[in-house]
Amino acid sequence: MLINVDVKSLEVFVAADLSDDKVLKRELTDRLDLHALNQERFNLPDRVTAKRFIFKLLYGATAYGYSTDTDFIGVGFNEKQWQKVIDEFYNKYDGIAKWHTHIIDFVKREGYIEIPSGRIYEYAPKRVNDLFDSQYKWPITTIKNYPVQGFGAELVKLARVEFWQRLQASGLPAKFIQTIHDSLVVDVDNDEKVVYNICTMLRESIEATPRLCKEWFDYDFSLPIWCEIQVGPNKADMGDFKFD
């Protein structure tokens, strides 16, 4: 039996924390459906599109990128219309807007970003050629992307080590298979009690991440971390696991 635990909206939580955006932090803490809220506010066709929009924006997406992305062809927006959606996003989440401006300005001055774990990302202008011109430009997309993706990965590592230590101490019949981005995958005996105990252990390990962040990085992560758990005989046939 496979158990898959997925950290819920990891990059959104990381961006909210790093930017200290009050609106986004409140929505996440109150467990509001921010994708449904943003679908309506940004006039997007459905919740899935709104979810993809916010994740890709935090990864550094641009109006041109949205207008040519196959995930958004059905929306029918041109580059100018997507820019209006981005502007409205930054209007709502002005903490994210200020943070993006801050880290871009910092990189242009210093050439690097340091995330709370101590990991450093170095940047330099890259030569960009087109039909009419050749110039050097800063990689704005990766400047926005790396802190979110990188710190998110560090948090998953903390949860992974915490779970591994608990699993080893428990002696339960389970094998920790792998980490897939922000998911942990475990192979367990098809026994109801074992499955329940491993799921509990996984949930507790994920939810311990803010405490672990303080212990290992001396950084106060300002939001709770939650997860979603699925169980099934294989990755294609998994269902949500619900605690009593």
Side-chain angles (χ1 to χ4, degrees):
M1 186 69 68
L2 289 180
I3 300 176
N4 185 95
V5 58
D6 181 75
V7 182
K8 187 173 177 62
S9 301
L10 176 62
E11 287 84 359
V12 179
F13 277 78
V14 170
D17 174 81
L18 293 178
S19 67
D20 195 29
D21 187 285
K22 306 303 184 187
V23 174
L24 186 53
K25 289 173 73 171
R26 177 181 57 80
E27 289 178 341
L28 294 173
T29 302
D30 293 347
R31 298 201 182 203
L32 301 181
D33 189 341
L34 66 95
H35 302 307
L37 293 172
N38 288 336
Q39 174 198 344
E40 180 178 358
R41 175 149 182 170
F42 304 149
N43 195 30
L44 296 172
D46 52 59
R47 184 183 180 280
V48 172
T49 300
K51 181 177 181 179
R52 288 174 177 167
F53 165 75
I54 187 172
F55 274 96
K56 294 200 176 191
L57 186 65
L58 296 176
Y59 296 159
T62 63
Y64 174 76
Y66 286 118
S67 68
T68 58
D69 192 324
T70 55
D71 284 340
F72 298 96
I73 287 178
V75 179
F77 287 1
N78 58 32
E79 184 176 350
K80 183 179 292 186
Q81 290 170 312
W82 275 116
Q83 188 59 54
K84 289 182 178 179
V85 177
I86 293 172
D87 291 344
E88 182 59 22
F89 173 90
Y90 282 136
N91 182 51
K92 177 182 179 182
Y93 302 113
D94 68 319
I96 297 285
K98 292 174 182 176
W99 177 61
H100 277 168
T101 299
H102 168 73
I103 60 176
I104 291 168
D105 290 345
F106 184 87
V107 166
K108 288 181 178 180
R109 290 195 314 272
E110 306 295 338
Y112 74 94
I113 287 176
E114 182 176 357
I115 60 176
S117 64
R119 188 179 300 274
I120 292 175
Y121 297 105
E122 296 182 341
Y123 304 86
K126 295 183 178 180
R127 187 166 185 168
V128 178
N129 296 304
D130 59 33
L131 293 175
F132 308 103
D133 192 16
S134 178
Q135 56 185 312
Y136 285 87
K137 293 184 178 180
W138 287 94
I140 301 301
T141 295
T142 54
I143 292 172
K144 294 177 181 178
N145 185 327
Y146 285 10
V148 173
Q149 295 260 36
F151 193 38
E154 305 282 39
L155 296 179
V156 173
K157 290 175 186 175
L158 294 178
R160 179 174 64 194
V161 171
E162 176 74 8
F163 171 71
W164 172 250
Q165 291 175 339
R166 293 187 183 206
L167 179 61
Q168 291 296 97
S170 73
L172 290 171
K175 294 181 179 179
F176 187 11
I177 300 176
Q178 60 185 343
T179 306
I180 306 174
H181 188 50
D182 55 3
S183 298
L184 308 181
V185 184
V186 184
D187 191 354
V188 304
D189 285 358
N190 190 7
D191 177 276
E192 184 175 341
K193 185 175 181 181
V194 172
V195 170
Y196 182 88
N197 287 337
I198 293 295
C199 287
T200 300
M201 196 180 301
L202 282 164
R203 182 182 67 177
E204 291 176 348
S205 298
I206 297 296
E207 293 180 351
T209 303
R211 171 179 60 80
L212 298 170
C213 187
K214 179 64 175 178
E215 291 178 4
W216 287 94
F217 304 145
D218 194 26
Y219 177 78
D220 292 307
F221 194 82
S222 60
L223 292 164
I225 298 290
W226 296 305
C227 63
E228 297 172 336
I229 301 176
Q230 292 189 314
V231 177
N234 54 64
K235 289 291 286 183
D237 300 298
M238 305 193 81
D240 294 336
F241 180 85
K242 301 296 184 182
F243 290 94
D244 295 335

